[in-house]
Amino acid sequence: MAESTSKHVAEDNAEPWPSKRTKLDRDFSTSGTKVERQRGVAPVKAEYLVAPLGSRRSNAEAKPDDDAAEAVHHTKAGENEGKGQKRSKSKGQNMGRDFGSSRDAIGLCSSRATYPEFSPKECPFGVNCKFEHNLRRYLEHGKRGDLKTFSGGLCPVWEVWGICDMGWKCRFASSHMQEVELPDGRMELTLTVNESKKAEIEAEGGTGESHGVVNVVSTAQKQALTKRKMDLPKSKVYLAWLEQSSKEREQEPRTTKQAIDDLKLDAASNGVHQNSTFHNSRDENRALYHEPPFLPSEKRRIYFGPETPALAPLTTQGNLPFRRLCVELGAQATYSEMAMSLPLMQGTKQEWALMKAHQIETTPPAFKGEDVVHAYDNAKDLKFGAQIAASKPWQAIQAAEILSTLCPRLRVIDLNCGCPIDLVYRQGAGSALLDTHPKLERMVRGMHAVSGEIPITVKVRMGTKDSKPTALKLIERLMGSQADSAGQKGAGSGVAAFTLHGRSRQQRYTKRADWEYISECAALIQRINEEERDLADTVREVDQRSQPNGKVFFLGNGDCYSHVDYSEHIKNAKVDSVMIARGALIKPWIFQEIETGQYLDISASQRLEYVEKFAKYGLEAWGSDEIGLGTTRKFLLEWLSFAYRYVPLGILEHLPPNLQDRPPAFKGRNELETLLASDNYKDWIKISEMFLGPAHKDFKFEPKHKSNNYETNAEG
């Protein structure tokens, strides 16, 4: 724990939490007062409430908008506006948030940043360079003073890797610099390297990539994409075939229900058997059908089971440091933040940064050893997958081939078909694909064909409207259980796994997830899997290139907030595993609870240790200079905007906790617990300053929701 935090941390006085206890003592006050449980409000014990239940202060005036958990950075101010439409209200959101900047007062030239004082690299701009070349002037006037928050001022990057690539710009530079006397008597400032630590990392088989990060795409590769010079042979051939097939499909006879009824009516009037007329039409379609130009490569086997809880793709919050923390706490599958296919194809730096993963995410997931997948090799499996969104087949197909070429350390490529954000939806991506099943099928088949050994998975919602769920029909189509326009049946699209979020696009994150509908979809997938298995045993052998794993896995998603929720979904809904989103943002140790099968009453000091870990991991990922410090602070505050909603188990009257319950205003069991529960963003900044020091004068942070943006008023 950082030395600077010692004065902020009080002793945790709460007694250890019984692991199997399901109800707390109700007689919690000397007056004998009992609190009746209110729907949608967390049942906090009376002695911890700071205002009576039902008062204005005890209940949040507005619920936080959980669109932040999925694709919020694709949202723009006024995105709901259209021609002839009135300007829509932001419903409590701070739109177009400005985070300011965090930069040195005087910038140091890169030719000096990591070199000794008197032997720098030659600057290509010479006297015309606009950055500082005098190292001592930069250290005295150009940067803020070094921090002492970690281990008495030790740089967390240098401590782990033996070298800090930020050099003199590092806000902990004093811990890895020294002044040495040269033979001519001058005193020179030099950077130090921990050679023993470097040797230790190399002996452990280090990846050789920056700070244990994999899937690093070089600048040259991104430039090749920008200039459209990257060769995509598979996509080129497949898209040409797809275009030709589309032209021929336009000339095919109609095979809609109305067209079939018309054929049957004509046949009856002419005295011809109805079925023969219909089958003749289908035979014509078969004659027009052409096989794809090549078969997909055989895919790497993957596995999902009760022992593999998955962390959902979370834009902004699902960054590399947070995923790394969750894996340490027991997450067995992780996904990148949702990346848009077109910027990936254009070599956009920000989009390719989303593909980076920590080496801990390349380790195999948990596996009990049951032979549920033919030829599955757990040692070759890994945890990290990429999620992309696309509005057109050519975008999805080319992006899949690019990813399989440049980022081989991927478990899966997941196609997002559930993002409800308006800007994404209007482009025809995300949940818009739920209304265009034929287009979505072409996407999945094409991605499967060009992705090499990387399997393709799909994440969907129930549908776009509450009253019209379409996921059952979509799953049936992608698994090949429906006949296509050529009369073909049983040829699956190649999807290796489905994840279903039990809400519609219209619902967003309101109401509870519909696990009954998820259960129906699970039963459908199980039935089709069994039919395929029986067919393989009696008629033909399944081609693993079109049927990855020999079965299709199914994950449920929505409102999982405890190991009890997780176990019930596995048992009752019959899903293979559960994907966890907001539950992990609020309490990332949910994965530990699932692994141990018990509630964990995590103390305030333990929670602060997780914050410290995130800060260290952020500095490793984004740099320990002023810019990296500001980036780490921004993402830490974004996480704290969810984490404050956690209500400690020790102050609850009833279990289990509910994700949809909003906490009333309460005080914790100590000052630190109260601070961590604050919904005032200025308190979140105070927490960040325990590890990252005072915020830069130009740094800004606006919480996503206006209800967190207020000044605390003193009460008499």
Side-chain angles (χ1 to χ4, degrees):
M1 183 65 61
E3 290 182 0
S4 64
T5 66
S6 59
K7 63 180 179 180
H8 299 281
V9 181
E11 292 294 327
D12 296 308
N13 298 319
E15 296 179 358
W17 182 254
S19 62
K20 299 295 183 181
R21 194 172 180 182
T22 58
K23 184 177 180 180
L24 305 181
D25 295 335
R26 296 180 64 88
D27 295 328
F28 42 73
S29 66
T30 56
S31 63
T33 304
K34 295 183 179 180
V35 177
E36 293 184 5
R37 186 161 192 177
Q38 297 185 12
R39 186 176 181 180
V41 179
V44 174
K45 288 181 178 181
E47 63 261 39
Y48 295 104
L49 294 174
V50 297
L53 276 176
S55 68
R56 180 179 179 185
R57 189 180 175 194
S58 70
N59 295 312
E61 295 181 33
K63 291 183 178 180
D65 184 352
D66 283 333
D67 284 345
E70 189 172 0
V72 67
H73 79 251
H74 299 290
T75 305
K76 295 181 180 179
E79 70 167 22
N80 294 319
E81 299 171 39
K83 293 182 179 180
Q85 294 181 345
K86 293 182 179 180
R87 189 179 188 88
S88 60
K89 295 183 179 180
S90 60
K91 297 182 180 180
Q93 294 184 39
N94 282 318
M95 306 301 289
R97 296 188 294 162
D98 178 16
F99 295 98
S101 65
S102 299
R103 295 183 179 277
D104 290 330
I106 302 173
L108 181 65
C109 179
S110 59
S111 67
R112 268 64 176 168
T114 57
Y115 295 91
E117 181 181 9
F118 299 141
S119 52
K121 182 181 176 182
E122 183 178 354
C123 177
F125 300 99
V127 295
N128 295 321
C129 181
K130 62 180 181 179
F131 294 103
E132 182 62 61
H133 284 197
N134 187 309
L135 178 59
R136 293 183 184 266
R137 184 182 300 127
Y138 165 78
L139 293 176
E140 184 176 355
H141 303 291
K143 61 178 285 192
R144 293 197 290 165
D146 284 352
L147 298 174
K148 303 294 181 181
T149 52
F150 297 113
S151 304
L154 183 62
C155 172
V157 179
W158 190 89
E159 182 181 16
V160 174
W161 299 99
I163 188 172
C164 176
D165 52 8
M166 290 295 105
W168 301 111
K169 294 182 180 181
C170 175
R171 288 295 308 280
F172 304 86
S174 58
S175 67
H176 49 73
M177 63 176 282
Q178 61 182 357
E179 191 172 25
V180 298
E181 184 176 359
L182 299 180
D184 59 6
R186 293 183 300 167
M187 302 300 292
E188 181 184 34
L189 294 174
T190 63
L191 295 167
T192 61
V193 176
N194 188 334
E195 297 293 348
S196 61
K197 175 60 72 173
K198 285 185 62 180
E200 179 184 335
I201 293 172
E202 293 174 359
E204 293 175 353
T207 62
E209 295 175 277
S210 177
H211 298 165
V213 176
V214 301
N215 294 334
V216 179
V217 178
S218 69
T219 301
Q221 290 170 323
K222 284 179 280 193
Q223 289 176 345
L225 288 171
T226 302
K227 298 176 181 179
R228 299 183 182 180
K229 291 185 177 181
M230 183 173 178
D231 189 25
L232 302 173
K234 292 181 181 179
S235 296
K236 182 177 180 180
V237 174
Y238 192 92
L239 289 171
W241 169 81
L242 192 62
E243 182 179 4
Q244 182 63 28
S245 298
S246 298
K247 290 180 180 178
E248 294 177 353
R249 194 179 298 113
E250 292 174 358
Q251 302 173 1
E252 293 180 7
R254 290 177 301 151
T255 56
T256 62
K257 183 179 184 300
Q258 183 61 49
I260 293 171
D261 291 342
D262 292 344
L263 285 171
K264 291 181 178 180
L265 184 62
D266 292 342
S269 63
N270 294 325
V272 181
H273 195 277
Q274 297 178 3
N275 287 337
S276 63
T277 302
F278 174 66
H279 286 302
N280 287 338
S281 175
R282 176 174 284 184
D283 290 340
E284 291 178 5
N285 284 352
R286 283 198 180 113
L288 290 171
Y289 178 77
H290 296 291
E291 291 287 342
F294 54 84
L295 287 173
S297 302
E298 191 167 337
K299 305 300 179 185
R300 185 196 308 118
R301 305 294 191 273
I302 60 173
Y303 168 77
F304 287 101
E307 68 271 40
T308 60
L311 175 66
L314 301 166
T315 300
T316 302
Q317 284 81 8
N319 48 67
L320 186 151
F322 183 76
R323 296 197 313 267
R324 180 180 174 186
L325 176 63
C326 287
V327 170
E328 288 187 359
L329 294 174
Q332 299 300 320
T334 62
Y335 294 82
S336 72
E337 304 173 40
M338 186 185 76
M340 301 301 291
S341 294
L342 197 56
L344 282 176
M345 295 162 54
Q346 295 169 340
T348 305
K349 179 180 178 181
Q350 292 84 350
E351 219 71 14
W352 277 104
L354 303 180
M355 297 299 108
K356 294 180 180 180
H358 191 264
Q359 60 189 15
I360 195 175
E361 297 179 89
T362 65
T363 56
F367 181 58
K368 290 183 178 179
E370 299 177 5
D371 188 18
V372 295
V373 178
H374 176 68
Y376 172 70
D377 186 351
N378 181 251
K380 294 182 179 179
D381 203 355
L382 57 157
K383 295 182 174 73
F384 178 73
Q387 188 188 65
I388 63 172
S391 59
K392 296 178 176 60
W394 66 269
Q395 295 174 0
I397 293 168
Q398 289 190 9
E401 184 173 7
I402 292 170
L403 283 171
S404 64
T405 302
L406 301 183
C407 298
R409 307 293 289 277
L410 293 177
R411 188 187 200 214
V412 299
I413 299 174
D414 186 74
L415 180 63
N416 182 302
C417 308
C419 178
I421 301 302
D422 292 338
L423 185 63
V424 177
Y425 178 81
R426 287 204 306 267
Q427 291 175 353
S431 56
L433 296 173
L434 300 176
D435 291 331
T436 55
H437 293 185
K439 180 171 78 170
L440 175 54
E441 183 181 6
R442 291 195 294 273
M443 283 183 172
V444 175
R445 289 185 181 276
M447 293 170 68
H448 177 62
V450 304
S451 65
E453 69 169 6
I454 302 176
I456 302 300
T457 60
V458 176
K459 186 173 188 286
V460 302
R461 283 183 175 239
M462 292 168 51
T464 55
K465 297 181 179 179
D466 290 347
S467 58
K468 295 182 179 179
T470 58
L472 277 168
K473 289 184 178 180
L474 175 61
I475 290 171
E476 195 172 15
R477 182 183 187 113
L478 294 182
M479 290 189 69
S481 185
Q482 291 182 347
D484 59 20
S485 61
Q488 303 293 319
K489 185 177 180 180
S493 62
V495 63
F498 289 96
T499 300
L500 174 60
H501 184 170
R503 291 183 175 89
S504 66
R505 175 186 182 264
Q506 185 179 358
Q507 254 182 288
R508 300 274 177 134
Y509 295 90
T510 61
K511 303 179 182 178
R512 294 194 176 187
D514 189 346
W515 277 89
E516 288 187 8
Y517 189 80
I518 293 176
S519 179
E520 291 179 36
C521 294
L524 172 65
I525 291 176
Q526 183 179 3
R527 176 178 63 79
I528 298 175
N529 278 334
E530 290 175 352
E531 289 175 357
E532 285 294 325
R533 187 164 54 247
D534 293 342
L535 189 62
D537 292 339
T538 58
V539 180
R540 60 175 172 82
E541 183 179 353
V542 176
D543 188 343
Q544 295 294 338
R545 290 172 293 188
S546 62
Q547 190 83 19
N549 296 305
K551 68 168 289 185
V552 175
F553 288 100
F554 184 56
L555 289 78
N557 174 222
D559 297 344
C560 184
Y561 194 43
S562 69
H563 69 285
V564 174
D565 293 336
Y566 185 88
S567 299
E568 287 181 351
H569 296 330
I570 296 288
K571 179 181 178 181
N572 299 330
K574 307 297 183 185
V575 295
D576 292 301
S577 185
V578 177
M579 182 177 283
I580 305 170
R582 289 177 297 163
L585 288 171
I586 296 172
K587 58 170 195 180
W589 57 91
I590 186 175
F591 299 105
Q592 284 184 322
E593 292 187 342
I594 292 170
E595 184 178 359
T596 59
Q598 63 182 23
Y599 288 109
L600 299 175
D601 188 14
I602 300 297
S603 67
S605 59
Q606 286 177 291
R607 291 167 62 193
L608 194 64
E609 286 177 6
Y610 296 151
V611 173
E612 180 182 20
K613 274 192 173 184
F614 181 95
K616 287 184 175 181
Y617 296 164
L619 295 177
E620 285 188 48
W622 297 306
S624 55
D625 62 338
E626 192 69 70
I627 295 176
L629 215 69
T631 303
T632 301
R633 192 188 309 274
K634 168 193 168 183
F635 285 110
L636 174 57
L637 295 175
E638 294 281 17
W639 173 33
L640 292 177
S641 72
F642 277 87
Y644 85 90
R645 288 157 56 178
Y646 172 70
V647 181
L649 295 183
I651 70 171
L652 285 176
E653 182 192 4
H654 297 284
L655 289 180
N658 191 307
L659 182 61
Q660 297 298 93
D661 285 351
R662 304 299 169 177
F666 69 90
K667 62 182 179 180
R669 292 165 291 187
N670 53 57
E671 291 184 4
L672 179 58
E673 196 165 73
T674 302
L675 178 65
L676 291 171
S678 173
D679 59 357
N680 187 342
Y681 81 99
K682 292 191 175 182
D683 285 330
W684 307 342
I685 293 178
K686 289 179 184 177
I687 295 171
S688 76
E689 290 178 341
M690 295 180 185
F691 307 105
L692 303 177
H696 192 278
K697 63 181 180 64
D698 296 326
F699 177 82
K700 299 177 183 178
F701 181 78
E702 290 180 284
K704 180 175 174 57
H705 205 270
K706 292 178 181 178
S707 64
N708 303 118
N709 187 11
Y710 66 90
E711 297 291 342
T712 303
N713 296 319
E715 293 188 357

